[in-house]
């Protein structure tokens, strides 16, 4: 009787392992789904502010505040997520990398500008209403996210777009840049979700159906928060997926 092979081991034949290729998800359909989900988040936050919160204005009233959630979700979550995924597009894996660098930096800059405008909207509203600024955990976390974002963008611009940075410096800073990129997205998600929850607690009380009774606005806004979390988690998952990463052998990037 033949001895058991190494694959069978001492306890008999092993079950064949499923090939990782069987679990692969095509990148482009995944991006199409993610883009649809991101646009749904933007549409829902706009619908929430328009239908339940009175619309938009620049007069310093609560309608001025409504620009804040729309700009933050659009910039810090959706547009920032798109910027993070630029280098996962297969077309970026060959040929000149500079156009993709510019696209990545441009999308991130657009996200930063929208987030600054969102902060300006909430500060204008608070100042016109005599409400103190920067007293809640949500405000601390949101401002910290935007400040970290600004440092991340400036450092990335200096290291990867300006020609002075040597190859060793880019190689040293790249994993730090990638780590803080995902960290900022996670902080953005937490800031947006906590802001939605805070707004519901402040709004659904006197003269309205209490938040604890779960009126239609609460269901809608809670669903928006969950979709933001799903969007952000999927972006982070895409960034962590090894098969979607740009091959490290693309050394011309270091000498570009």
């Amino acid at each position: 009787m033949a001895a058991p092979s190494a694959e069978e081991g001492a306890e008999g034949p092993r079950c064949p392992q499923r090939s990782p290729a069987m679990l692969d998800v095509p990148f482009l359909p995944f991006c199409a789904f993610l883009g649809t989900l991101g646009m749904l988040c933007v549409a829902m936050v706009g619908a929430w502010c328009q239908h339940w919160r009175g619309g938009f204005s620049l007069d310093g009233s609560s309608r001025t505040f409504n620009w804040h959630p729309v700009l933050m979700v659009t910039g810090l979550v959706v547009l920032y997520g798109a910027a993070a995924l630029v280098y996962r597009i297969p077309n970026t894996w060959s040929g000149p990398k500079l156009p993709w660098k510019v696209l990545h930096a441009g999308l991130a800059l657009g996200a930063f500008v929208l987030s600054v405008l969102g902060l300006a909207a909430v500060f204008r509203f608070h100042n016109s209403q005599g409400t103190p600024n920067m007293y809640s955990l949500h405000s601390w976390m949101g401002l910290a996210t935007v400040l970290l974002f600004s440092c991340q963008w400036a450092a990335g611009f200096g290291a990867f777009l300006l020609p002075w940075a040597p190859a060793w410096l880019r190689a040293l800073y790249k994993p730090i840049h990638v780590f803080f990129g995902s960290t900022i997205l996670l902080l953005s998600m937490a800031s947006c979700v906590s802001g939605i929850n805070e707004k519901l607690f402040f709004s659904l009380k006197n003269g309205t159906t209490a938040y604890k009774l779960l009126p239609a606005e609460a269901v809608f806004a809670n669903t928006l928060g969950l979709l933001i979390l799903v969007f952000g988690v999927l972006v982070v998952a895409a960034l962590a997926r090894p098969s979607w990463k740009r091959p490290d052998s693309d050394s011309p990037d270091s000498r570009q």
Side-chain angles (χ1 to χ4, degrees):
M1 182 175 180
S5 63
E7 289 78 9
E8 294 176 351
E11 298 180 358
R14 297 178 182 175
C15 295
Q17 295 181 352
R18 176 175 289 187
S19 171
M22 296 176 63
L23 303 178
D24 278 350
V25 178
F27 178 79
L28 293 181
F30 176 85
C31 275
F33 170 77
L34 206 56
T36 302
L37 183 58
M39 289 187 289
L40 179 60
C41 290
V42 174
M44 287 186 66
V45 70
W48 175 35
C49 294
Q50 180 65 45
H51 181 72
W52 280 287
R53 298 290 102 216
F56 303 91
S57 177
L58 297 176
D59 58 2
S61 66
S62 60
R63 293 184 300 166
T64 299
F65 172 86
N66 289 341
W67 287 108
H68 175 66
V70 172
L71 292 172
M72 288 306 193
V73 171
T74 304
L76 273 184
V77 177
V78 178
L79 198 56
Y80 184 84
L85 289 177
V86 163
Y87 291 129
R88 298 302 187 268
I89 301 174
N91 292 342
T92 68
W93 294 3
S94 62
K97 194 176 180 182
L98 183 59
W100 301 104
K101 285 185 176 183
V102 173
L103 177 61
H104 174 74
L107 289 173
L109 181 60
F112 176 72
V113 170
L114 291 181
S115 64
V116 170
L117 293 175
L119 289 179
V122 70
F123 279 119
R124 175 174 171 77
F125 166 70
H126 282 176
N127 293 336
S128 65
Q129 301 296 318
T131 303
N133 292 305
M134 302 304 300
Y135 65 89
S136 66
L137 176 61
H138 162 68
S139 62
W140 291 9
M141 188 160 47
L143 184 61
T145 302
V146 175
L147 291 176
L148 184 60
F149 188 4
S150 65
C151 296
Q152 167 88 342
W153 192 91
F157 181 82
F160 300 121
L161 274 177
L162 295 182
W164 65 269
W168 65 266
L169 179 59
R170 293 183 180 184
L172 180 65
Y173 176 63
K174 181 179 177 181
I176 301 174
H177 186 77
V178 171
F179 170 77
F180 277 104
S182 297
T183 300
I184 291 169
L185 180 59
L186 294 175
L187 289 174
S188 300
M189 293 159 48
S191 299
C192 289
V193 171
S194 64
I196 291 171
N197 193 242
E198 183 178 284
K199 182 62 176 176
L200 291 174
F201 272 116
F202 285 158
S203 301
L204 300 180
K205 47 182 183 179
N206 299 330
T208 65
T209 303
Y211 188 13
K212 65 182 179 181
L213 299 178
L214 205 64
E217 180 181 357
V219 173
F220 189 89
N222 286 350
T223 303
L224 168 63
L226 290 177
L227 291 179
I228 289 173
L229 290 177
V230 171
F231 178 87
V233 168
L234 289 178
V235 171
V236 173
L239 295 175
R241 190 177 181 88
S243 61
W244 288 350
K245 292 182 179 180
R246 181 185 176 95
D248 292 333
S249 58
D250 188 18
S251 57
D253 169 45
S254 309
R255 305 188 297 269
Q256 188 166 263

